[in-house]
Amino acid sequence: INNGDDMKKKFLRSVVIPLLFAVCLGFYGAKIAYEFNKLKSIVNEVSHNAYAIQYGVYTNPETLTSILSDLDNYVVSMENGKYYVYLGFTTDYKNLSKIRNMYKESGTEVYVREVFIDNLEFVSSLEQYDVLLDSVSEEEDIISVNKAILSSYDEMILGN
């Protein structure tokens, strides 16, 4: 009779307990990995969802006015007490290069800024413009699509 109880204890100690431990460890390991992955994707989404082609940042309204007289297509956004002059927006890196090269060829120095735009309607519209921008290569077509993007930004984000 003692021999049967010893066998059960030995079986529990050598098989069942390590098996339960492994199952619990696997469950919590998978849960931690899942949560980390979820957090990582949220951080990636929040860091940026668009590229802004920026002309410059100004604090003095008079300087801003004189700078704007040389530009055709732009929007000015007031952020943290500074005037940001944007010449375009895109969600696609290939289109970013296309717009940046167009300005570079015309002698206009621009800066690229990764931005997070929380207006989903504008981001959706921007993605549609990116499809259009991807299909054009002539400078006048790029300018035309970019003008529409800036107009949308002005309307949807700045409320003008």
Side-chain angles (χ1 to χ4, degrees):
I1 297 176
N2 245 353
N3 203 8
D5 283 342
D6 279 346
M7 284 291 262
K8 284 182 186 177
K9 286 181 183 176
K10 206 174 196 181
F11 179 76
L12 279 174
R13 260 187 264 155
S14 64
V15 177
V16 174
I17 291 175
L19 185 62
L20 286 174
F21 181 74
V23 167
C24 288
L25 192 62
F27 173 77
Y28 286 109
K31 186 174 179 179
I32 288 168
Y34 173 75
E35 292 296 325
F36 178 77
N37 230 4
K38 199 165 92 174
L39 180 64
K40 190 171 133 187
S41 71
I42 289 170
V43 167
N44 283 342
E45 281 180 21
V46 171
S47 64
H48 82 282
N49 60 0
Y51 299 100
I53 295 91
Q54 181 180 310
Y55 185 75
V57 181
Y58 304 92
T59 53
N60 186 334
E62 289 81 30
T63 306
L64 175 68
T65 305
S66 69
I67 293 294
L68 295 180
S69 65
D70 296 336
L71 299 174
D72 292 327
N73 300 316
Y74 61 86
V75 290
V76 178
S77 176
M78 177 72 129
E79 300 168 26
N80 302 321
K82 297 177 183 172
Y83 301 97
Y84 286 77
V85 179
Y86 297 117
L87 302 180
F89 294 91
T90 183
T91 60
D92 184 90
Y93 191 79
K94 195 165 82 174
N95 289 338
L96 171 66
S97 295
K98 189 183 285 190
I99 296 169
R100 190 172 42 189
N101 289 339
M102 179 190 71
Y103 281 113
K104 187 177 181 181
E105 287 173 12
S106 72
T108 305
E109 188 175 339
V110 294
Y111 307 93
V112 174
R113 201 173 145 206
E114 293 179 346
V115 293
F116 177 73
I117 299 171
D118 61 0
N119 183 320
L120 297 180
E121 183 183 1
F122 176 72
V123 172
S124 175
S125 174
L126 185 56
E127 288 170 347
Q128 291 171 11
Y129 281 123
D130 276 333
V131 171
L132 190 58
L133 200 55
D134 192 41
S135 67
V136 299
S137 58
E138 296 295 317
E139 184 175 330
E140 63 194 43
D141 296 331
I142 296 169
I143 290 171
S144 178
V145 173
N146 198 43
K147 193 181 240 184
I149 292 170
L150 291 171
S151 178
S152 290
Y153 183 85
D154 196 33
E155 182 184 319
M156 292 181 198
I157 304 295
L158 302 177
N160 296 329

